[in-house]
Amino acid sequence: MATSPDNNVEEIDESVFRIRAMLSQETSVYTLQSNYLLNASVFATSRRRSRPGSPVTPPVDASCRVLMAKWCNSLCDFCKYDRDVTAAAMSCVDRFASTPSGMETILMDRDRYQLAVMTGLYLIAKIQQGEALDPESVAKLSRGKHSKADIENMEMEMLVRLQWRVHPPTPWTFARELLNLIPTSVAMEEATRERIYELTKYQLEVAVLDYDLSFRRSSELAFGAILNAMESLSVDFAVPFETSVSQLLKTEVHQLRDIRMGLLKVISEDASVQPMCAVLTQRTSVMASYHAPKNDSFSCVSSSPKSVSATIQ
């Protein structure tokens, strides 16, 4: 687990400092301001009046976002990147799509949307990973749809529209710091700590697929995922942890019910169900009122990066 076996008050204070800094970022420059798919529908309708033959509804919808996010996860696995790269990349794409320029540039054309997601992943990997793909290699993944120049031009456009804010605090970056707030003095099996870590990370990796969850604060997604993990494991320390973290994040635990439910619904509907998914959904009380639909799971994207050309067609 990421926490040190010797973490102390000073180290916990450092985590609190980092959390407060990220809270400031997520509530200001890294906030997703609008329901951009809804706004795009309004835009498409108005544009059709002036441009006969334009689509009535935007070609890009939530299902396109799901497929491209899954492709990002697959490429992260292929390149041995942390899947948190996908969360940061999709944050950049979502915020770009919510701008007037981004809406017209990428939401009215699936190929352009595909290009934006590929570019977002390339951009974040270049910033965060020791070894990143070069733009020519990324272009090859599109099987001829996009060139190296397309990638570089889209990168610059995204950087300008996002005002170079391309290092968002993701749910997992919050979760790591929040998990560090559990003192090692707490009587808890190391295996239980590891399990909380794994269950939290699993939820947040899948959460990036959900359009509705993209509008929730990263800190609250992290908190909700940790609470789901703790409750599923019947952790005794959960109550004092809830109290201290809710004060730090300035959010009430009961306000996280929708987020916790949303996280569990997404993992229940995901095709790549793992044993830990069953642990979460069967042992977490917030899930009691939800029943996953039968035969309604998302189709998985191949782990091969070559599958990009088919993801949103």
Side-chain angles (χ1 to χ4, degrees), residues 21-72:
M22 291 191 296
L23 285 171
S24 176
Q25 290 182 320
E26 77 164 357
T27 55
S28 55
V29 296
Y30 286 108
T31 300
L32 185 56
Q33 299 290 349
S34 64
N35 184 336
Y36 62 82
L37 290 181
L38 178 61
N39 292 343
S41 296
V42 175
F43 175 79
T45 301
S46 63
R47 190 171 75 160
R48 184 174 174 81
R49 297 192 187 102
S50 59
R51 300 183 189 178
S54 297
V56 178
T57 57
V60 174
D61 56 19
S63 65
C64 295
R65 187 184 181 282
V66 168
L67 289 169
M68 286 308 299
K70 284 189 172 184
W71 175 82
C72 286

Side-chain angles (χ1 to χ4, degrees), residues 33-34 40 52 72 105 145 155 218 231 235 241 264:
Q33 299 290 349
S34 64
C72 286
T105 300
K145 279 190 178 181
E155 178 185 20
S218 293
E231 184 177 345
V235 174
F241 179 81
L264 295 174

Side-chain angles (χ1 to χ4, degrees), residues 181-200:
L181 300 184
I182 303 176
T184 53
S185 58
V186 171
M188 185 187 300
E189 297 271 346
E190 186 59 29
T192 302
R193 291 178 183 269
E194 292 284 353
R195 196 61 170 161
I196 292 172
Y197 182 96
E198 292 170 358
L199 291 173
T200 299

Side-chain angles (χ1 to χ4, degrees), residues 172-312:
W172 182 237
T173 57
F174 270 106
R176 285 200 306 263
E177 299 299 340
L178 290 175
L179 290 169
N180 282 340
L181 300 184
I182 303 176
T184 53
S185 58
V186 171
M188 185 187 300
E189 297 271 346
E190 186 59 29
T192 302
R193 291 178 183 269
E194 292 284 353
R195 196 61 170 161
I196 292 172
Y197 182 96
E198 292 170 358
L199 291 173
T200 299
K201 196 171 195 300
Y202 171 66
Q203 292 174 81
L204 297 179
E205 286 179 350
V206 180
V208 72
L209 306 178
D210 191 87
Y211 175 71
D212 292 331
L213 289 177
S214 68
F215 293 93
R216 308 308 294 256
R217 288 169 53 188
S218 293
S219 58
E220 292 183 342
L221 285 170
F223 192 16
I226 293 172
L227 293 180
N228 283 344
M230 285 185 165
E231 184 177 345
S232 70
L233 298 173
S234 302
V235 174
D236 294 334
F237 184 65
V239 173
F241 179 81
E242 289 177 9
T243 302
S244 60
V245 173
S246 62
Q247 291 174 350
L248 176 60
L249 302 184
K250 297 181 180 178
T251 185
E252 298 294 333
V253 173
H254 67 83
Q255 295 175 340
L256 298 177
R257 180 178 176 81
D258 288 346
I259 287 177
R260 295 180 62 187
M261 178 77 79
L263 289 166
L264 295 174
K265 286 173 65 177
V266 172
I267 65 172
S268 296
E269 295 165 0
D270 184 57
S272 56
V273 176
Q274 301 179 21
M276 62 179 66
C277 172
V279 170
L280 284 161
T281 57
Q282 292 175 10
R283 300 182 188 176
T284 310
S285 62
V286 74
M287 197 62 180
S289 60
Y290 174 76
H291 300 285
K294 295 181 180 179
N295 301 321
D296 191 31
S297 59
F298 295 124
S299 59
C300 281
V301 176
S302 166
S303 60
S304 169
K306 294 181 181 179
S307 66
V308 65
S309 62
T311 54
I312 59 175

Side-chain angles (χ1 to χ4, degrees), residues 163-175:
Q163 299 180 318
W164 295 77
R165 294 178 176 128
V166 289
H167 196 65
T170 65
W172 182 237
T173 57
F174 270 106

